[in-house]
Amino acid sequence: MTNFRPISLCNTVAKVIAKCLATRLKNVFPTIISISNCILGELQGISLGANTPTFSHLVFADDTLLLGRASVTEAAIFMSILKQYEQWSGQLINPQKSAVQFSPNVSRELRAAITDILGMPEVATREKYLDYQPL
């Protein structure tokens, strides 16, 4: 009993409460959140390998990277996401501080269509981001 530390139970209590809340809300969520409100689910995202999970966004400090396939459909989804963000947060996206980056095998026509939809310029594939040089 001398090694017993009550403070170590704090994390356990939080986990038990979170589990209880999640179990109770599991049946309520479908009635308050529709699948149409979950627009990120419509993005295919990208994968780094054959057996790796896909991801559609990364957030670092005050920067957000949206990642997806080079298609007109995903560009339209990205615009919808950005417009919803502006409405919900009251903040405006600055297209002059935003950019689109493509893989080398995307055609010029598709690049032009996507940059027109997004209203953002294209940047070079090998350009630095946050002092990071891509491989």
Side-chain angles (χ1 to χ4, degrees), residues 65-83:
L65 299 174
L66 299 175
L67 308 160
R69 309 261 180 226
S71 72
V72 171
T73 303
E74 290 216 12
I77 293 170
F78 281 134
M79 275 311 295
S80 179
I81 290 168
L82 295 173
K83 293 298 178 194

Side-chain angles (χ1 to χ4, degrees), residues 25-101:
L25 293 175
K26 183 172 42 174
N27 296 327
V28 177
F29 277 138
T31 61
I32 58 175
I33 301 174
S34 70
I35 194 68
S36 63
N37 289 339
C38 185
I39 197 158
L40 283 176
E42 298 178 29
L43 293 174
Q44 290 183 5
I46 64 168
S47 177
L48 298 178
N51 294 321
T52 61
T54 60
F55 52 99
S56 60
H57 58 286
L58 297 170
V59 179
F60 179 77
D62 61 348
D63 290 332
T64 302
L65 299 174
L66 299 175
L67 308 160
R69 309 261 180 226
S71 72
V72 171
T73 303
E74 290 216 12
I77 293 170
F78 281 134
M79 275 311 295
S80 179
I81 290 168
L82 295 173
K83 293 298 178 194
Q84 280 186 354
Y85 174 80
E86 288 179 338
Q87 289 175 350
W88 292 344
S89 70
Q91 297 176 338
L92 297 177
I93 305 297
N94 185 346
Q96 286 76 34
K97 290 185 175 181
S98 304
V100 183
Q101 189 173 23

